[in-house]
Structure formats: structure tokens, C-alpha cells
Amino acid sequence: RNLTFGDPTAKQSRVEGILRAFGMERLLSQVQAERDREASGRTTTPSHAESTIWQTSLTDTECAKIHLARAFVMNPEILVLQRP
């Protein structure tokens, strides 16, 4: 859901393709686990450890890739990037 924030109707295959293009296979396995949990009907709230794994285990580079992946999921006509 984090990656489809800008487009909640985005297909899972598109999100997975974008993650692969950015070399984020580790994250892809986490996305797959979340999808499997939802498919199994698990409706309980994830534990604190599960909900914070994205925040605690990503490097700055991985966080930047997530931001870019989110933008690509939205499929913009123009994407303006600026270095800090």
C-alpha cells in the first residue's frame, strides 16, 4: 500500500516490475509477504515490529528508491527531479 499511495488502483504486477527495475528484490519479498497475509484473510493489525520494518531497515538509498518507485507507479507524463 505504501508504494501505491498515489494510485491505489495500480496492479501488483506493475509495482513488482518497478521494484525489480530499481533492484529492490529484498523489498519485493516483503511486499509479497504482505500480499499473502491479506490473501489469507488476516485482518489483525500488524505488530509494531512488522509496521516499522520499512522505517528501520531501509538505507537512505533504498528510501530514495521507494520515493521514485511511488512516482513511477503513478506513471506521470513528466517527472521533475531536483538534487538537494
Side-chain angles (χ1 to χ4, degrees), residues 21-81:
F22 280 109
M24 303 286 293
E25 284 78 12
R26 181 174 71 97
L27 206 59
L28 185 56
S29 66
Q30 291 174 338
V31 169
Q32 181 65 38
E34 181 179 330
R35 189 172 74 175
D36 292 345
R37 184 174 55 243
E38 289 176 358
S40 70
R42 181 177 166 193
T43 57
T44 59
T45 304
S47 70
H48 180 68
E50 289 175 313
S51 64
T52 59
I53 192 165
W54 293 71
Q55 299 160 349
T56 60
S57 64
L58 298 178
T59 65
D60 290 342
T61 301
E62 289 171 326
C63 286
K65 288 180 179 182
I66 292 297
H67 294 301
L68 284 171
R70 226 183 264 134
F72 277 85
V73 166
M74 292 176 56
N75 199 24
E77 283 187 40
I78 298 172
L79 182 60
V80 178
L81 303 173

